[in-house]
Amino acid sequence: MSTTRRIAVIGGGAAGFFGAIRAAEVDPTAQVTILEATDHPLAKVRVSGGGRCNATHACFEPRELVQRYPRGSRELIGPFSRFGPRETIAWFAARGVELKTEADGRMFPVTDDSATIVDCLQHAALAAGVRLRTRTGVSAIARAADGTFALTLRDGASAAADCVLLACGGTKGTGGATLAQGLGHAIEPQVPSLFTVHIDDPLLKGLEGLAAPAAAVQVPGTKLRAEGPVLVTHWGLSGPAILRLSAWGARELHDMDYTFTLQLAWSAVHAPAQAAAALADQRTAQARKQVASINPFGLPARLWERLVAAAGVPAGGTWAGLSKAQADKLAGQVTTTRLAVTGKSMNKEEFVTCGGVRLREVDFRTMESRVCPRLYFAGEVLDIDGITGGFNFQAAWTTGWLAGSAMAGPRD
Ligand SMILES: Cc1cc2nc3c(=O)[nH]c(=O)nc-3n(C[C@H](O)[C@H](O)[C@H](O)COP(=O)(O)OP(=O)(O)OC[C@H]3O[C@@H](n4cnc5c(N)ncnc54)[C@H](O)[C@@H]3O)c2cc1C
């Protein structure tokens, strides 16, 4: 090992920048270099959160926070107690960036502009003396007999390092998985998480833009179930409940080739029997009024009209005229609508892949490999992913910070 510690960070995304800055701040004598394949470091940060960057989530209890991670929840408890959302907020505040909390807990820069986060990371890296090499893809890493690393760059050049942080993200085909495999790691297959679903059903036609605020979705025959708002889109359904279902069901739904039956409760607060009872109440209380004009479930008016029509209630039909069969069908429409899903689309605001480096091969106190000493991992290259809401960046900040701390910590 050379006297100046050479730290190579592969990947100039959220996790790579955070790890590099932390390492350079802890050990200002270290030579920390980010090797970024493209010309655009921090590209995902820039486009994140619809251009606003949902940088973290106002959830400060590690045990509660980890419940937002379909993969990685057990491993992240310790890391979040050391560097969680509270520390993220303080980290950015110390560098002049204030974050604000929205009603649902998502946190964004007060500027509502992801460029604020990008600029902050770039300035912090520069100030800490981190070297950034763009258009420098790493194609192979070999471990030399003395324990150092020999990196082969895509242009054929080579570089040497004493520690390597693999932070090359989760997108298939970036080569991150191959680099980790080359150093002895197993990779969980990478598949998309956080997607919306394609549904071509007359029930939804013309309802684009409408949202049911308290819905629930499930996939019959599986344990997959999620609650939250559901939004009708031009191609099917989206919204937090659908995104949560897609995150928890990333593997199962991939294995079904994204073709399955979705059972939807437009109002999750009503079980089928309660919905039937609510309808029965209206039959007496609102006897002369039209069924389509009185909506006991708090649904958008046009959606309610559509459900009423789908239950076979004639236009202008009154509550007094609602037959038992029509009432049962309407209760079914509200609580157990079944729709055929025929595919998926990636979510525009945030998307992520599940899969990556197998977690039990990593020491989550330091993010160091258990297989290859002085190799570290951070961010989406790991088999960790969160639901939408700022949780994916939080995992990148946390694992990057831990890896940076360890790489620059006392040498053994
Ligand atoms: C459109 C979109 C919006 C999102 N919005 C949010 C959000 O608001 N909140 C949130 O929490 N999450 C969001 N996410 C998810 C979040 O962006 C990722 O979880 C996060 O960027 C992961 O960081 P990372 O550093 O691990 O990987 P990345 O950001 O993917 O960075 C990896 C970097 O490594 C480089 N690289 C790859 N292979 C090599 C190689 N062999 N050699 C050199 N360089 C290499 C890549 O070019 C890339 O720059 C969003 C994702 C997308 C796609």
Side-chain angles (χ1 to χ4, degrees):
M1 195 184 286
S2 68
T3 45
T4 302
R5 183 163 17 196
R6 298 162 303 174
I7 296 174
V9 176
I10 304 176
F17 264 76
F18 228 67
I21 295 166
R22 175 67 182 163
E25 288 181 349
V26 171
D27 180 1
T29 69
Q31 188 190 89
V32 184
T33 309
I34 298 176
L35 305 166
E36 164 56 43
T38 69
D39 213 3
H40 306 288
L42 298 167
K44 277 203 205 165
V45 177
R46 202 174 284 283
V47 298
S48 66
R52 294 198 300 143
C53 184
N54 178 194
T56 185
H57 201 97
C59 177
F60 302 109
E61 174 47 52
R63 287 193 181 274
E64 196 191 328
L65 182 58
V66 295
Q67 287 168 23
R68 277 34 175 241
Y69 293 84
R71 285 147 291 271
S73 58
R74 198 166 50 85
E75 292 77 5
L76 284 170
I77 294 177
F80 282 153
S81 338
R82 292 180 58 201
F83 194 97
R86 207 183 297 283
E87 288 73 24
T88 302
I89 296 164
W91 192 97
F92 281 106
R95 289 157 183 84
V97 173
E98 215 186 310
L99 302 179
K100 60 168 179 177
T101 311
E102 302 215 322
D104 57 4
R106 291 181 304 157
M107 298 195 73
F108 296 85
V110 288
T111 56
D112 274 330
D113 187 353
S114 60
T116 309
I117 302 287
V118 171
D119 292 348
C120 172
L121 291 167
Q122 285 183 331
H123 286 141
L126 197 65
V130 173
R131 292 201 315 163
L132 172 63
R133 291 179 62 183
T134 54
R135 293 194 209 177
T136 309
V138 175
S139 56
I141 310 175
R143 208 174 152 84
D146 64 356
T148 61
F149 295 90
L151 279 53
T152 306
L153 309 183
R154 287 189 186 150
D155 64 4
S158 57
D162 302 307
C163 299
V164 168
L165 171 58
L166 212 51
C168 36
T171 320
K172 276 184 180 174
T174 60
T178 319
L179 294 177
Q181 273 170 326
L183 292 166
H185 277 273
I187 303 293
E188 300 294 349
Q190 301 199 335
V191 299
S193 182
L194 294 183
F195 48 83
T196 64
V197 292
H198 291 186
I199 294 167
D200 186 14
D201 191 294
L203 186 73
L204 305 181
K205 287 275 174 294
L207 298 182
E208 296 83 5
L210 291 187
V217 285
Q218 57 183 299
V219 181
T222 73
K223 290 188 177 151
L224 297 175
R225 185 186 153 81
E227 289 193 6
V230 161
L231 175 71
V232 182
T233 66
H234 286 283
W235 59 89
L237 292 174
S238 175
I242 297 290
L243 294 174
R244 273 175 211 146
L245 189 86
S246 78
W248 291 98
R251 286 202 191 290
E252 259 173 291
L253 302 179
H254 169 265
D255 293 347
M256 293 175 185
D257 202 17
Y258 308 107
T259 306
F260 56 92
T261 299
L262 183 80
Q263 184 169 306
L264 169 62
W266 292 102
S267 168
V269 287
H270 293 85
Q274 285 175 317
L279 293 175
D281 288 349
Q282 301 301 319
R283 283 164 83 186
T284 42
Q286 309 284 357
R288 288 158 183 259
K289 300 244 170 70
Q290 291 185 13
V291 178
S293 66
I294 308 275
N295 163 11
F297 303 104
L299 297 173
R302 278 199 296 131
L303 172 60
W304 174 244
E305 286 162 18
R306 184 65 60 82
L307 296 178
V308 169
V313 179
T318 61
W319 284 98
L322 188 71
S323 71
K324 166 90 172 63
Q326 287 167 344
D328 286 348
K329 202 155 177 212
L330 187 49
Q333 286 291 335
V334 173
T335 57
T336 50
T337 290
R338 287 196 169 203
L339 299 162
V341 173
T342 55
K344 65 150 185 18
S345 284
M346 296 322 289
N347 171 36
K348 272 203 303 296
E349 291 249 318
E350 173 174 353
F351 60 82
V352 73
T353 41
C354 88
V357 171
R358 189 170 285 168
L359 302 186
R360 63 170 178 267
E361 295 177 354
V362 179
D363 181 345
F364 274 76
R365 290 168 302 182
T366 56
M367 304 315 298
E368 187 173 9
S369 162
R370 293 186 193 278
V371 177
C372 176
R374 299 205 199 100
L375 171 67
Y376 297 79
F377 296 101
E380 222 180 300
V381 72
L382 292 156
D383 183 22
I384 290 180
D385 58 279
I387 59 170
T388 184
F391 303 104
N392 287 301
F393 276 138
Q394 186 54 57
W397 312 134
T398 297
T399 51
W401 188 89
L402 285 180
S405 307
M407 289 189 299
R411 301 185 200 210
D412 44 36

